Amino acid sequence: MTQAATDTSAERTVRRRKADESGVSRTKLAVTLLVLTALLMVSATAGLAIGSVQVPPGQVWGIVTHALGADWQEPDWSRARETIVVDVRAPRVLLGAVTGAGLAVIGTALQALVRNPLAEPYLLGVSSGASLGAVSVIVFGVTLFGPVSLSVAAFVGALGSLLLVYATARTGGRITSARLVLSGVAVAAVLTAVLDLLLLTTDRGNEARAVLAWTLGGLGGVNWGTLWLPGTALLLGVGVLMAQARNLNLLLAGEEAATTMGLDVARFRARLFVLLSLVTGVLVAGAGPIGFVGLMMPHIVRLFVGGDHRRVLPTAALGGAVFLIWADIAARTVAAPMEIPVGVLTALCGGPFFLWLMRRDARRGTDRGVA
């Protein structure tokens, strides 16, 4: 009787401790999301204010609210400043937020799907495939699908490259993380070579310059009429991935464990690969191939919220949006009046991060081997 009472007491203590830890985790997540939301608002304000024409932050929000129809402030700004904020910078800031958030959640999902911490659209050849599809539309002037021809071609290229990488890495019915990354690098190299060949052989100088600028990644040239497509793709992607967060968590335990828990791994991966290719293609069509955002953000946010995808996905989305907005601000101001392609800056940040990640994983493997 005493032993039973002791066991019951111990079980209660364990349950209470788990409940306390869950409460602390939820509080930590809420605080993290609030901080990132505040940072996103500050970043958006900075993106609207900073540039060749400086606009005071208070005036920025006066212009924005006035454009939305709220006349709480008497206009004390020029028409030129209003045009700069509303028609030039606001679409650019929104595209940066949408693209950064989208790449971050895609990278998070891919790392879980292939169980490789180095996975992201750029490394697995998805961005290269999307780039080749979009560049083909620019070079050959294809308008089969009207104004969304670029996005459709980018999606087809992204899906085709991902399927090629998946088929190349699959041997004996299984896929290893090392083979997947190597296949992605190889496919990306081939697709990039084909893209460079298209660039070199095109006879029209204007198109060649447009392709070169686009392949380096950038947020310039966007307008309100083209923002709805990447915004819709982001909402679709985040919504589906949040609904599948539990299954992504199951994959982290391994394919056998996930199958035991009732998950059809092959079908689940195939469906998500199509979804991720669609979102990647739309984002690449709008902003070009911007690399390493999807590699860095998932690892950074896991340091704060843990590995549960119900927490990682929304946190990574906010973190990616903040990061890319500031990367674009730096691209516009570091070498002003010349603008640096934002993809160059993300690569300068992501390259060292990638090397650090490889060394960290190598050290962990060595430590496990010694142990």
Side-chain angles (χ1 to χ4, degrees):
M1 187 71 177
T2 304
Q3 181 65 36
T6 302
D7 291 343
T8 302
S9 177
E11 290 173 359
R12 289 175 182 170
T13 303
V14 171
R15 285 197 298 268
R16 190 180 302 114
R17 184 179 301 165
K18 288 182 177 179
D20 292 341
E21 291 176 353
S22 178
V24 171
S25 298
R26 285 195 295 267
T27 302
K28 188 176 181 180
L29 174 64
V31 171
T32 303
L33 292 177
L34 285 174
V35 170
L36 285 174
T37 301
L39 283 176
L40 181 58
M41 297 299 294
V42 172
S43 303
T45 303
L48 295 174
I50 298 174
S52 57
V53 176
Q54 302 289 336
V55 182
Q59 200 172 82
V60 163
W61 284 108
I63 294 173
V64 171
T65 54
H66 180 75
L68 294 174
D71 296 327
W72 63 275
Q73 179 181 348
E74 191 68 26
D76 59 349
W77 52 81
S78 64
R79 178 63 181 171
R81 284 194 174 185
E82 183 174 351
T83 300
I84 290 172
V85 170
V86 175
D87 296 329
V88 178
R89 293 180 185 170
R92 183 169 185 150
V93 168
L94 286 175
L95 179 62
V98 168
T99 303
L103 292 176
V105 297
I106 291 169
T108 302
L110 279 176
Q111 288 170 12
L113 282 176
V114 303
R115 298 187 63 215
N116 191 316
L118 304 180
E120 67 114 22
Y122 188 82
L123 291 176
L124 293 184
V126 181
S127 292
S128 298
S131 299
L132 180 59
V135 168
S136 299
V137 168
I138 296 174
V139 171
F140 298 113
V142 178
T143 58
L144 182 62
F145 296 96
V148 297
S149 296
L150 194 70
S151 298
V152 171
F155 164 64
V156 172
L159 180 60
S161 63
L162 190 56
L163 292 176
L164 181 59
V165 170
Y166 191 77
T168 305
R170 188 178 181 88
T171 55
R174 301 190 64 181
I175 297 177
T176 64
S177 298
R179 285 185 61 85
L180 194 69
V181 172
L182 291 175
S183 299
V185 171
V187 169
V190 172
L191 295 178
T192 301
V194 175
L195 190 151
D196 291 339
L197 181 63
L198 285 177
L199 180 62
L200 289 173
T201 55
T202 182
D203 296 328
R204 289 164 283 192
N206 291 335
E207 291 180 355
R209 283 191 294 271
V211 169
L212 180 60
W214 187 87
T215 54
L216 293 175
L219 305 177
V222 64
N223 56 64
W224 289 108
T226 58
L227 270 176
W228 67 271
L229 192 55
T232 303
L234 174 64
L235 292 176
L236 173 66
V238 172
V240 173
L241 290 176
M242 285 298 297
Q244 299 296 329
R246 176 182 175 276
N247 290 333
L248 290 173
N249 290 338
L250 291 178
L251 280 180
L252 295 180
E255 292 188 19
E256 294 182 0
T259 302
T260 303
M261 295 295 292
L263 178 64
D264 187 339
V265 176
R267 181 175 296 180
F268 177 69
R269 273 182 171 160
R271 290 175 176 175
L272 280 197
F273 277 152
V274 173
L275 172 69
L276 297 179
S277 299
L278 170 63
V279 179
T280 300
V282 173
L283 295 179
V284 170
I290 299 176
F292 294 103
V293 179
L295 174 68
M296 294 186 292
M297 283 304 113
H299 290 284
I300 292 174
V301 301
R302 286 190 189 108
L303 297 175
F304 297 95
V305 299
D308 190 339
H309 285 86
R310 291 170 295 184
R311 298 170 181 170
V312 175
L313 287 169
T315 311
L318 289 173
V322 170
F323 172 75
L324 198 55
I325 288 175
W326 281 106
D328 183 56
I329 292 173
R332 289 188 277 127
T333 57
V334 166
M338 184 183 71
E339 181 177 321
I340 300 174
V342 70
V344 173
L345 292 183
T346 60
L348 290 175
C349 296
F353 185 89
F354 178 73
L355 295 175
W356 170 80
L357 200 60
M358 290 182 61
R359 288 182 61 85
R360 186 198 67 174
D361 290 346
R363 285 196 300 269
R364 287 181 176 178
T366 301
D367 292 341
R368 293 192 191 100
V370 172

